[in-house]
Amino acid sequence: MSLSENDPRNPTELSPPRRAGVASTGPTPSRRVFLLSATAAAAAVAAGLVPRLTRPALAGDTPRASAPEHFEAAYSDAEWRKRLTPGQYEILRQEGTERPYSSPLNDEHRAGTFSCAGCALPLFSSRTKFDSHTGWPSFWTPLEHAVGTRTDTTFGMVRTEVHCRRCGGHLGHVFDDGPKPTGLRYCMNGLAMTFSPQAA
């Protein structure tokens, strides 16, 4: 039994059904060719974006597969839920990410200190904050002994996750497309932090 050119069971599917009065312009690509082309195009776009979304692991990064870390400020999950708002809990304890441009701290330009919303440890100085145009508060360096990092391989990428050194709360990620002098961009979730303005 032969299959007609336009039979849905025909794997070549080279041309659409002809309509009366419409001239044929030649064979059209099959659905498979279209999907392969779209996939290749998406891969090409992704290849151009990946360098800005990922960065090599920093020295001292802790792999996720290693033994659990111990932190000075440690509470049960139930206690963390009591201490934090639902949004803070989602970010700090579940490693969530807030929507870009949703945090008032993104537009905070006063002199002061950004601290961990989980344990109040000072994390960043306003002197190192810059507008990264990404929608998240960004800094070119943290305060000394304020944060820890570990390698994050979720979503098929290798990134450097940043967390509070004292309580382990997830803050965001660090990338290597920041300004001088470090060339780093600590891209933080506003919900993971609080801000204390500097006294006049």
Side-chain angles (χ1 to χ4, degrees):
M1 177 175 104
S2 65
L3 296 174
S4 72
E5 183 178 53
N6 296 311
D7 190 299
R9 293 170 293 169
N10 187 342
T12 58
E13 209 176 333
L14 291 176
S15 62
R18 291 193 179 104
R19 291 179 290 172
V22 177
S24 173
T25 58
T28 59
S30 70
R31 190 172 297 148
R32 179 178 293 167
V33 171
F34 173 79
L35 291 174
L36 288 174
S37 299
T39 302
V45 170
L49 293 176
V50 167
R52 296 191 62 80
L53 298 175
T54 64
R55 74 176 306 281
L58 293 174
D61 279 0
T62 303
R64 286 193 181 275
S66 65
E69 296 175 80
H70 298 285
F71 299 98
E72 296 169 36
Y75 301 99
S76 68
D77 186 67
E79 185 63 26
W80 277 121
R81 287 181 184 273
K82 289 179 185 176
R83 296 173 67 90
L84 304 171
T85 67
Q88 291 171 331
Y89 178 84
E90 171 67 21
I91 303 295
L92 288 164
R93 309 318 306 175
Q94 299 294 311
E95 300 186 3
T97 302
E98 68 195 9
R99 288 180 296 106
Y101 298 102
S102 63
S103 171
L105 294 187
N106 191 51
D107 298 316
E108 180 58 71
H109 302 297
R110 293 175 292 173
T113 303
F114 295 82
S115 300
C116 176
C119 70
L121 179 71
L123 302 171
F124 297 93
S125 167
S126 60
R127 291 189 303 273
T128 65
K129 188 174 187 285
F130 69 98
D131 188 355
S132 64
H133 304 287
T134 61
W136 289 279
S138 299
F139 307 84
W140 49 264
T141 194
L143 294 172
E144 193 171 353
H145 305 300
V147 303
T149 60
R150 64 172 71 94
T151 301
D152 178 2
T153 57
T154 57
F155 304 112
M157 297 182 285
V158 179
R159 299 179 292 171
T160 299
E161 185 267 354
V162 179
H163 56 270
C164 172
R165 175 197 54 79
R166 185 157 64 188
C167 72
H170 172 72
L171 302 171
H173 291 84
V174 58
F175 303 94
D176 61 1
D177 58 0
K180 293 178 180 179
T182 64
L184 298 176
R185 170 172 57 95
Y186 284 81
C187 187
M188 304 290 98
N189 288 286
L191 278 174
M193 301 182 296
T194 59
F195 177 73
S196 301
Q198 183 177 307

